[in-house]
PDB file of all heavy atoms in Angstrom:
ATOM      1  N   VAL M  95     -28.387 -43.249-105.753  1.00  0.00           N
ATOM      2  CA  VAL M  95     -28.689 -42.196-104.782  1.00  0.00           C
ATOM      3  C   VAL M  95     -27.536 -42.139-103.779  1.00  0.00           C
ATOM      4  O   VAL M  95     -27.229 -43.133-103.119  1.00  0.00           O
ATOM      5  CB  VAL M  95     -30.022 -42.463-104.048  1.00  0.00           C
ATOM      6  CG1 VAL M  95     -30.236 -41.427-102.940  1.00  0.00           C
ATOM      7  CG2 VAL M  95     -31.181 -42.440-105.030  1.00  0.00           C
ATOM      8  N   ILE M  96     -26.875 -40.985-103.697  1.00  0.00           N
ATOM      9  CA  ILE M  96     -25.795 -40.815-102.721  1.00  0.00           C
ATOM     10  C   ILE M  96     -26.359 -40.083-101.513  1.00  0.00           C
ATOM     11  O   ILE M  96     -26.764 -38.923-101.609  1.00  0.00           O
ATOM     12  CB  ILE M  96     -24.599 -40.049-103.329  1.00  0.00           C
ATOM     13  CG1 ILE M  96     -24.051 -40.800-104.561  1.00  0.00           C
ATOM     14  CG2 ILE M  96     -23.487 -39.869-102.281  1.00  0.00           C
ATOM     15  CD1 ILE M  96     -22.880 -40.122-105.234  1.00  0.00           C
ATOM     16  N   ASP M  97     -26.395 -40.784-100.382  1.00  0.00           N
ATOM     17  CA  ASP M  97     -26.977 -40.245 -99.151  1.00  0.00           C
ATOM     18  C   ASP M  97     -25.867 -39.595 -98.315  1.00  0.00           C
ATOM     19  O   ASP M  97     -24.891 -40.252 -97.946  1.00  0.00           O
ATOM     20  CB  ASP M  97     -27.631 -41.407 -98.372  1.00  0.00           C
ATOM     21  CG  ASP M  97     -28.372 -40.926 -97.133  1.00  0.00           C
ATOM     22  OD1 ASP M  97     -28.130 -39.773 -96.693  1.00  0.00           O
ATOM     23  OD2 ASP M  97     -29.180 -41.706 -96.597  1.00  0.00           O
ATOM     24  N   LEU M  98     -26.016 -38.301 -98.049  1.00  0.00           N
ATOM     25  CA  LEU M  98     -24.971 -37.563 -97.323  1.00  0.00           C
ATOM     26  C   LEU M  98     -25.347 -37.287 -95.869  1.00  0.00           C
ATOM     27  O   LEU M  98     -24.724 -36.448 -95.216  1.00  0.00           O
ATOM     28  CB  LEU M  98     -24.676 -36.238 -98.048  1.00  0.00           C
ATOM     29  CG  LEU M  98     -24.197 -36.360 -99.502  1.00  0.00           C
ATOM     30  CD1 LEU M  98     -23.892 -34.979-100.069  1.00  0.00           C
ATOM     31  CD2 LEU M  98     -22.977 -37.248 -99.619  1.00  0.00           C
ATOM     32  N   SER M  99     -26.370 -37.990 -95.360  1.00  0.00           N
ATOM     33  CA  SER M  99     -26.820 -37.694 -93.991  1.00  0.00           C
ATOM     34  C   SER M  99     -25.731 -37.950 -92.946  1.00  0.00           C
ATOM     35  O   SER M  99     -25.748 -37.355 -91.873  1.00  0.00           O
ATOM     36  CB  SER M  99     -28.078 -38.500 -93.656  1.00  0.00           C
ATOM     37  OG  SER M  99     -27.826 -39.878 -93.828  1.00  0.00           O
ATOM     38  N   GLU M 100     -24.774 -38.836 -93.239  1.00  0.00           N
ATOM     39  CA  GLU M 100     -23.720 -39.151 -92.269  1.00  0.00           C
ATOM     40  C   GLU M 100     -22.380 -38.494 -92.633  1.00  0.00           C
ATOM     41  O   GLU M 100     -21.341 -38.845 -92.081  1.00  0.00           O
ATOM     42  CB  GLU M 100     -23.513 -40.671 -92.182  1.00  0.00           C
ATOM     43  CG  GLU M 100     -24.740 -41.456 -91.789  1.00  0.00           C
ATOM     44  CD  GLU M 100     -25.191 -41.157 -90.362  1.00  0.00           C
ATOM     45  OE1 GLU M 100     -24.321 -41.066 -89.483  1.00  0.00           O
ATOM     46  OE2 GLU M 100     -26.407 -40.984 -90.147  1.00  0.00           O
ATOM     47  N   LEU M 101     -22.416 -37.558 -93.596  1.00  0.00           N
ATOM     48  CA  LEU M 101     -21.180 -36.886 -93.993  1.00  0.00           C
ATOM     49  C   LEU M 101     -20.947 -35.697 -93.052  1.00  0.00           C
ATOM     50  O   LEU M 101     -21.719 -34.745 -93.045  1.00  0.00           O
ATOM     51  CB  LEU M 101     -21.285 -36.406 -95.448  1.00  0.00           C
ATOM     52  CG  LEU M 101     -19.977 -35.950 -96.097  1.00  0.00           C
ATOM     53  CD1 LEU M 101     -19.061 -37.139 -96.364  1.00  0.00           C
ATOM     54  CD2 LEU M 101     -20.241 -35.207 -97.405  1.00  0.00           C
ATOM     55  N   SER M 102     -19.875 -35.755 -92.271  1.00  0.00           N
ATOM     56  CA  SER M 102     -19.678 -34.722 -91.247  1.00  0.00           C
ATOM     57  C   SER M 102     -18.867 -33.534 -91.751  1.00  0.00           C
ATOM     58  O   SER M 102     -18.874 -32.469 -91.139  1.00  0.00           O
ATOM     59  CB  SER M 102     -19.003 -35.335 -90.019  1.00  0.00           C
ATOM     60  OG  SER M 102     -17.845 -36.038 -90.410  1.00  0.00           O
ATOM     61  N   PHE M 103     -18.166 -33.697 -92.883  1.00  0.00           N
ATOM     62  CA  PHE M 103     -17.401 -32.581 -93.438  1.00  0.00           C
ATOM     63  C   PHE M 103     -17.170 -32.806 -94.922  1.00  0.00           C
ATOM     64  O   PHE M 103     -16.937 -33.927 -95.367  1.00  0.00           O
ATOM     65  CB  PHE M 103     -16.041 -32.428 -92.733  1.00  0.00           C
ATOM     66  CG  PHE M 103     -15.218 -31.308 -93.309  1.00  0.00           C
ATOM     67  CD1 PHE M 103     -15.438 -30.001 -92.901  1.00  0.00           C
ATOM     68  CD2 PHE M 103     -14.272 -31.549 -94.289  1.00  0.00           C
ATOM     69  CE1 PHE M 103     -14.724 -28.955 -93.468  1.00  0.00           C
ATOM     70  CE2 PHE M 103     -13.543 -30.501 -94.855  1.00  0.00           C
ATOM     71  CZ  PHE M 103     -13.768 -29.212 -94.440  1.00  0.00           C
ATOM     72  N   MET M 104     -17.200 -31.712 -95.691  1.00  0.00           N
ATOM     73  CA  MET M 104     -16.841 -31.794 -97.105  1.00  0.00           C
ATOM     74  C   MET M 104     -16.298 -30.452 -97.570  1.00  0.00           C
ATOM     75  O   MET M 104     -16.818 -29.406 -97.169  1.00  0.00           O
ATOM     76  CB  MET M 104     -18.069 -32.145 -97.946  1.00  0.00           C
ATOM     77  CG  MET M 104     -17.738 -32.471 -99.387  1.00  0.00           C
ATOM     78  SD  MET M 104     -19.197 -32.496-100.459  1.00  0.00           S
ATOM     79  CE  MET M 104     -19.489 -30.752-100.643  1.00  0.00           C
ATOM     80  N   ASP M 105     -15.246 -30.475 -98.386  1.00  0.00           N
ATOM     81  CA  ASP M 105     -14.784 -29.229 -99.010  1.00  0.00           C
ATOM     82  C   ASP M 105     -14.815 -29.406-100.533  1.00  0.00           C
ATOM     83  O   ASP M 105     -15.429 -30.356-101.027  1.00  0.00           O
ATOM     84  CB  ASP M 105     -13.402 -28.821 -98.470  1.00  0.00           C
ATOM     85  CG  ASP M 105     -12.323 -29.854 -98.768  1.00  0.00           C
ATOM     86  OD1 ASP M 105     -12.523 -30.685 -99.682  1.00  0.00           O
ATOM     87  OD2 ASP M 105     -11.288 -29.813 -98.091  1.00  0.00           O
ATOM     88  N   SER M 106     -14.161 -28.529-101.287  1.00  0.00           N
ATOM     89  CA  SER M 106     -14.297 -28.581-102.742  1.00  0.00           C
ATOM     90  C   SER M 106     -13.698 -29.848-103.351  1.00  0.00           C
ATOM     91  O   SER M 106     -14.006 -30.188-104.490  1.00  0.00           O
ATOM     92  CB  SER M 106     -13.670 -27.334-103.380  1.00  0.00           C
ATOM     93  OG  SER M 106     -12.262 -27.404-103.331  1.00  0.00           O
ATOM     94  N   THR M 107     -12.863 -30.545-102.593  1.00  0.00           N
ATOM     95  CA  THR M 107     -12.355 -31.835-103.073  1.00  0.00           C
ATOM     96  C   THR M 107     -13.522 -32.779-103.348  1.00  0.00           C
ATOM     97  O   THR M 107     -13.501 -33.554-104.309  1.00  0.00           O
ATOM     98  CB  THR M 107     -11.404 -32.466-102.034  1.00  0.00           C
ATOM     99  OG1 THR M 107     -10.422 -31.506-101.678  1.00  0.00           O
ATOM    100  CG2 THR M 107     -10.729 -33.705-102.575  1.00  0.00           C
ATOM    101  N   GLY M 108     -14.548 -32.691-102.494  1.00  0.00           N
ATOM    102  CA  GLY M 108     -15.740 -33.530-102.643  1.00  0.00           C
ATOM    103  C   GLY M 108     -16.441 -33.276-103.967  1.00  0.00           C
ATOM    104  O   GLY M 108     -16.959 -34.203-104.593  1.00  0.00           O
ATOM    105  N   ILE M 109     -16.454 -32.009-104.397  1.00  0.00           N
ATOM    106  CA  ILE M 109     -17.072 -31.661-105.683  1.00  0.00           C
ATOM    107  C   ILE M 109     -16.335 -32.366-106.820  1.00  0.00           C
ATOM    108  O   ILE M 109     -16.953 -32.937-107.715  1.00  0.00           O
ATOM    109  CB  ILE M 109     -17.038 -30.125-105.887  1.00  0.00           C
ATOM    110  CG1 ILE M 109     -17.861 -29.425-104.801  1.00  0.00           C
ATOM    111  CG2 ILE M 109     -17.537 -29.732-107.272  1.00  0.00           C
ATOM    112  CD1 ILE M 109     -19.331 -29.769-104.819  1.00  0.00           C
TER     113      ILE M 109
END
Side-chain angles (χ1 to χ4, degrees):
Chain M
V95 174
I96 301 180
D97 185 343
L98 301 182
S99 57
E100 302 294 318
L101 192 71
S102 52
F103 179 83
M104 189 194 76
D105 62 20
S106 74
T107 308
I109 297 297

